[in-house]
Amino acid sequence: MDMAEVEVSYAEGWDADRRCEFGTLSADEAEERDRSGEPYVVVRRVPGCAAPMEVHLVSWGDHYVGVWAYDELGRRIHEVDLRLLEPDRLFARQYLERRYSPDQSDRARDAWCLTVELLPGERGTVVLEERGESRGSFHTLADVSESQRWHPRSGFGVHAAGSPNFFGVAEQERPKVLDAAALPSPAVAGNVDVEVGKPESPWRPPRPGQPGLILNELFRSGTRFISEAWGEMTVAETRHIATLRIPSGRLVVADAMRHSPRELIERIPPGEYPLQAAVLIGEGDYGGERFPVTEEPVVRLLIADEPPVTWEMGLSEGDDPRLLLDGHAYGFGTDGAAGSFADASGWETLSEKYRSFLMDSDGSAADNIADGCIHATDEETGSDLLSFYTGGDGTYPVWLGRSDSGELVAVAVITSWPADLRPA
């Protein structure tokens, strides 16, 4: 590939599958988007080559810059995910490299793949999948210098030209840049008939995970859902588990088997609140035999008797949403398929009683209530702990429901199979 000259163009967006820009921008228009924080892309091409050489995906409003590099066949070979954590510096959150055999398509699932994930102040991880996804992998700690982790903001965006060097990737000779902001038509890898302005797979900045389920509807009796596992199910009456005392207003949502509490930054008014479970009922079928099915996919702490209109992620100290990969969320971890709501002021005593009840069979430490939920009390602080089951081990996000006025009215945890459920 002749690197003597490179065309640089700007656009509102990028069609990831067809490898073409849409919404052509002039350099001045891109500059304005850069200042306002609106998403836009910078596309670099070698004249005469249909495939792009490199695409910069910029969205300062989302604290994000992505850099995608392509081979001559239009296959994505490098991806860099950068996050604006400081006013003038970007942190390299993730680097991904793919190597293809001649007959493999773009982002083939069986392509050789190396992924490096980094967090500030931590070593990070490296995952090597030599035979592609789900066919075995090798994991190790990342050895990435500070100079490779941090990059100047001025090197990216509307002024970007040249290929940055990431994690030891060979840096190409800095090309001569031709300002070709108004290309006659978007260049596309392969013989694809593109109708400009109608992208099939538009790129968007990464977004943190969302609840997925319609949480309000799960607590509305009579609402029908479709489950892939059980077919049609109906919301029954909300089940009251127990009342939780939170005298300090500091709420912990965590697995009580773990000694470190995950306390939410959000404070609630000190008081007593009902812990509730959404109940879905239906029928299953096995060998022609029908049987009743009951599922409880969500638990919530009801703070105010007012319907939430928005849901947001519940954060703990140290959580930085700017670092979340697309669809990811912060949450509490569990190795015992359980979580709990508790007052932070009594956590040390409450969690110790919980562990004694489970591990030492100390029946005086806590009570087993409501289908296996455990209730522990600390009369010195006047606080409680209430546990609940989850659908398995892993990490479970906590969701904060707010009313139309922005008041916190519920704290919820989706405990099982959210992707399996949809409104009827």
Side-chain angles (χ1 to χ4, degrees):
M1 182 182 291
D2 184 5
M3 296 295 296
E5 294 181 343
V6 167
E7 294 176 332
V8 175
S9 61
Y10 310 104
E12 295 179 9
W14 180 253
D15 191 321
D17 288 342
R18 296 188 296 188
R19 287 151 288 178
C20 66
E21 61 266 50
F22 58 90
T24 301
L25 299 172
S26 68
D28 288 342
E29 289 171 329
E31 185 83 51
E32 178 57 34
R33 280 182 171 256
D34 191 87
R35 285 193 295 266
S36 66
E38 292 181 82
Y40 69 98
V41 299
V42 183
V43 185
R44 305 174 68 248
R45 285 192 175 88
V46 174
C49 183
M53 186 185 78
E54 192 173 87
V55 179
H56 291 195
L57 310 135
V58 185
S59 184
W60 296 124
D62 295 287
H63 308 277
Y64 173 83
V65 171
V67 181
W68 296 352
Y70 293 83
D71 66 11
E72 294 90 337
L73 299 179
R75 299 177 299 189
R76 206 181 302 173
I77 52 175
H78 301 299
E79 298 178 27
V80 185
D81 180 324
L82 299 148
R83 302 303 175 99
L84 186 65
L85 303 185
E86 298 179 4
D88 59 348
R89 292 204 303 170
L90 290 137
F91 182 79
R93 175 67 175 88
Q94 185 183 67
Y95 168 75
L96 189 148
E97 178 182 353
R98 293 186 184 90
R99 298 176 186 175
Y100 302 94
S101 62
D103 60 340
Q104 286 178 324
S105 61
D106 180 35
R107 289 170 287 162
R109 294 176 61 88
D110 57 346
W112 183 100
C113 185
L114 176 74
T115 304
V116 180
E117 291 197 6
L118 300 172
L119 291 171
E122 299 181 16
R123 283 284 302 275
T125 59
V126 177
V127 179
L128 175 61
E129 298 169 295
E130 294 184 301
R131 296 184 297 167
E133 297 178 26
S134 305
R135 301 181 67 183
S137 59
F138 176 74
H139 297 245
T140 187
L141 293 176
D143 187 14
V144 179
S145 66
E146 285 297 300
S147 63
Q148 291 174 308
R149 291 168 178 254
W150 293 94
H151 302 270
R153 172 174 177 165
S154 59
F156 300 90
V158 72
H159 300 295
S163 297
N165 185 16
F166 297 103
F167 309 122
V169 177
E171 189 168 9
Q172 299 167 324
E173 180 182 353
R174 187 179 182 86
K176 177 183 178 182
V177 175
L178 305 178
D179 188 355
L183 295 177
S185 62
V188 184
N191 297 319
V192 181
D193 183 15
V194 176
E195 185 176 356
V196 179
K198 293 185 178 181
E200 292 182 352
S201 52
W203 165 82
R204 62 170 178 77
R207 295 282 189 265
Q210 296 297 319
L213 293 176
I214 305 175
L215 296 181
N216 295 358
E217 302 299 320
L218 285 166
F219 288 92
R220 188 168 295 147
S221 299
T223 304
R224 294 181 299 114
F225 286 88
I226 300 297
S227 163
E228 292 180 12
W230 305 118
E232 185 173 305
M233 303 190 78
T234 303
V235 177
E237 292 293 328
T238 298
R239 182 169 74 90
H240 175 79
I241 298 174
T243 299
L244 184 74
R245 297 177 297 171
I246 308 290
S248 70
R250 296 162 48 208
L251 182 63
V252 170
V253 188
D255 182 353
M257 290 299 291
R258 300 191 174 194
H259 293 268
S260 299
R262 188 175 189 277
E263 181 180 340
L264 300 183
I265 295 173
E266 185 82 17
R267 297 291 182 256
I268 64 176
E272 300 182 2
Y273 302 102
L275 182 62
Q276 302 173 330
V279 181
L280 285 169
I281 57 174
E283 283 191 332
D285 184 292
Y286 183 78
E289 294 289 332
R290 304 292 294 176
F291 54 91
V293 172
T294 301
E295 297 283 358
E296 296 185 359
V298 180
V299 294
R300 73 174 180 185
L301 195 67
L302 189 63
I303 308 300
D305 193 11
E306 189 174 348
V309 296
T310 61
W311 291 91
E312 65 189 54
M313 193 184 312
L315 300 177
S316 182
E317 184 177 356
D319 293 344
D320 188 344
R322 297 174 302 173
L323 289 167
L324 288 171
L325 300 177
D326 192 54
H328 287 209
Y330 291 108
F332 69 90
T334 175
D335 298 319
S340 64
F341 290 86
D343 185 90
S345 66
W347 175 260
E348 186 173 345
T349 298
L350 293 167
S351 60
E352 179 59 36
K353 287 186 173 183
Y354 176 88
R355 290 189 292 271
S356 295
F357 182 82
L358 285 182
M359 304 300 292
D360 302 328
S361 299
D362 183 358
S364 65
D367 296 314
N368 200 340
I369 62 170
D371 296 331
C373 295
I374 295 172
H375 179 206
T377 63
D378 176 24
E379 295 308 329
E380 184 174 340
T381 58
S383 61
D384 295 322
L385 177 149
L386 288 171
S387 73
F388 55 88
Y389 287 125
T390 64
D393 298 344
T395 299
Y396 289 82
V398 179
W399 304 105
L400 307 181
R402 296 191 184 277
S403 67
D404 193 43
S405 63
E407 178 188 2
L408 179 67
V409 295
V411 182
V413 176
I414 299 171
T415 57
S416 63
W417 43 278
D420 171 51
L421 199 63
R422 66 182 189 276

